């Protein structure tokens, strides 16, 4: 399923905003993130999610990172109070989201 969504995003059949509207998620594309941070997700005080993407990476990578962060929203965020960390690429949560 994620592969079909990824292909639809890359080829322009689907946009980030189509997905964001259906989940009520906000998106921020930021150009001043460190090059080792591709993206992140957080929950605001108003209980809405924000996916942050690094604006300095190519569109295909942004699509992959977007789906990765969406996986966290669907599968990890509802059961976790919070998760803080910028160097988490080798944790079980990250590996699970990466291999989904």
């Amino acid at each position: 399923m994620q592969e079909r969504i990824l292909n639809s995003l890359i080829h322009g059949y689907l946009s980030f905003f189509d997905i964001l509207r259906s989940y009520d998620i906000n998106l921020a594309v930021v150009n001043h993130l460190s090059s080792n941070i591709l993206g992140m997700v957080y929950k605001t005080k108003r209980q809405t999610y924000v996916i942050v993407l690094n604006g300095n990476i190519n569109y295909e990578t942004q699509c992959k990172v977007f789906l990765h962060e969406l996986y966290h929203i669907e599968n990890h965020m509802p059961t976790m109070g919070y998760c803080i960390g910028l160097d988490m690429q080798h944790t079980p949560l990250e590996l699970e989201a990466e291999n989904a």
Side-chain angles (χ1 to χ4, degrees):
M1 176 68 141
Q2 274 204 334
E3 191 65 33
R4 285 192 309 197
I5 294 172
L6 176 61
N7 285 330
S8 294
L9 284 168
I10 290 171
H11 296 298
Y13 304 123
L14 189 63
S15 75
F16 290 139
F17 300 104
D18 295 326
I19 298 170
L20 293 169
R21 275 192 297 272
S22 64
Y23 283 92
D24 195 26
I25 298 169
N26 294 310
L27 176 67
V29 179
V30 180
N31 291 320
H32 59 276
L33 287 176
S34 169
S35 61
N36 62 337
I37 300 172
L38 301 179
M40 65 186 91
V41 62
Y42 67 92
K43 194 172 191 179
T44 69
K45 288 191 283 185
R46 294 193 171 117
Q47 303 302 305
T48 59
Y49 292 106
V50 178
I51 293 176
V52 179
L53 296 177
N54 189 330
N56 295 316
I57 58 177
N58 67 53
Y59 181 72
E60 184 174 341
T61 303
Q62 285 181 346
C63 291
K64 291 176 182 177
V65 172
F66 176 80
L67 291 176
H68 174 98
E69 299 305 335
L70 189 60
Y71 183 89
H72 284 308
I73 291 171
E74 291 179 320
N75 297 286
H76 298 141
M77 302 291 276
T79 60
M80 298 177 66
Y82 61 90
C83 182
I84 298 174
L86 293 177
D87 188 22
M88 297 180 59
Q89 63 265 30
H90 301 293
T91 65
L93 290 177
E94 288 300 313
L95 295 173
E96 180 183 331
E98 193 64 34
N99 295 321

